[in-house]
Amino acid sequence: MVVDVDELNDETVDRLFHALADTTRRDILRRCVRGELSVSRLAEAYPMSFAAVQKHVAVLERAGLVSKQRSGREQLVRTDPDAVGRARQALDELESAWRGRVDRMARLLAEDAGAEEPEDPGHQENDTPEGPRR
Amino acid sequence: MVVDVDELNDETVDRLFHALADTTRRDILRRCVRGELSVSRLAEAYPMSFAAVQKHVAVLERAGLVSKQRSGREQLVRTDPDAVGRARQALDELESAWRGRVDRMARLLAEDAGAEEPEDPGHQENDTPEGPRR
DNA sequence: CACATCTACAACCATTTGGTTGTACGTTAG
DNA sequence: CTAACGTACAACCAAATGGTTGTAGATGTG
């Protein structure tokens, strides 16, 4: 769903996967899919304090997985339908390296190509091996 | 293929996404796709110590994303082609929550149903707060 | 109005994470 | 055999994470 051409930079993907790497947060995502829920309503479902759930929602929000909308004194949380699409895209970019999706693959492989290539879109790499230690 | 009916429990998905939530580790995955690399070879590519890279590889290994195979005095790392498939499956399970229903109508219905403890088809209903631990 | 709710946020604490250095051990090269 | 290499692992450290409690500000309700 209109998720394709975006460039997902490292920080974005970091936040995305980090947000997904917690059972409680994934459960919050599932709950807020079928309808907006207030934070306090959410908090009732988990064996932790309101503040803790608030923090989890904040993590999801910074990752772009949910958004909050004020309604009176409540803050309604709803998951962004395109969000999982972004995570999927990040996986696609990984998977394409060996699943043969040629279009993205070229750029990903170009970063190294077995020898030394000046282009390094993904990661800072020591073209001059300055010695890993120290 | 060969990725379908597996049960992905919470811990597994936690480890999977956590392993993916780091730029260096994702880069290691990409590098080890095109061929096995020894850990020390990998370590040359990053501005950190050998031991640090070793730890990253260990995280990827516990997540099932790579496997190591001894070859002489070297330990060759290669990524598991099915691994990203497992991550994708975890996303599928999230996405199916709102892929399987007509979005806007679902939200309208959910406003109502959500107010009275809806059954939770497809996931562990957490209405009894005993939920995820860490 | 008084009061209960819902939220925001700060301060604090224990554990984990991501990095370091140092040491030990097996394996290959000279 | 000796030396260099590749690895494993322990000990240590700073910072982030995930949780707590407490306080305070808006907002709805009697």
Side-chain angles (χ1 to χ4, degrees), chain A residues 40-62:
Chain A
S40 54
R41 184 66 119 172
L42 272 175
E44 294 171 4
Y46 304 101
M48 64 187 73
S49 68
F50 170 83
V53 174
Q54 221 178 2
K55 285 189 183 180
H56 280 304
V57 171
V59 170
L60 290 168
E61 198 177 13
R62 273 188 293 119

Side-chain angles (χ1 to χ4, degrees), chain A residues 23-76:
Chain A
T23 303
T24 300
R25 286 195 288 263
R26 289 193 303 275
D27 197 73
I28 290 177
L29 278 184
R30 293 193 204 98
R31 280 175 192 275
C32 293
V33 158
R34 57 169 58 86
E36 296 143 338
L37 287 177
S38 68
V39 183
S40 54
R41 184 66 119 172
L42 272 175
E44 294 171 4
Y46 304 101
M48 64 187 73
S49 68
F50 170 83
V53 174
Q54 221 178 2
K55 285 189 183 180
H56 280 304
V57 171
V59 170
L60 290 168
E61 198 177 13
R62 273 188 293 119
L65 286 162
V66 305
S67 61
K68 292 192 294 188
Q69 181 195 351
R70 180 133 238 141
S71 164
R73 62 182 168 188
E74 294 185 333
Q75 195 82 263
L76 299 183

Side-chain angles (χ1 to χ4, degrees), chain B residues 1 9 31 37-38 44 48 53 62 67 71 73 78-79 89 97-98 108 121:
Chain B
M1 338 181 76
N9 64 344
R31 280 175 193 274
L37 287 177
S38 69
E44 294 170 6
M48 64 186 75
V53 174
R62 275 188 292 117
S67 61
S71 165
R73 62 182 167 186
R78 71 172 224 283
T79 99
Q89 182 187 350
W98 68 83
L108 288 176

Side-chain angles (χ1 to χ4, degrees), chain B residues 19 28 35-37 53 57 90-91 110 115 117:
Chain B
I28 290 177
E36 296 143 339
L37 287 177
V53 174
V57 171
L91 286 181
E117 306 305 287

Side-chain angles (χ1 to χ4, degrees), chain A residues 10-23:
Chain A
D10 288 336
E11 263 190 24
T12 303
V13 180
D14 283 2
R15 279 196 296 264
L16 244 182
F17 283 134
H18 168 70
L20 291 171
D22 182 282
T23 303

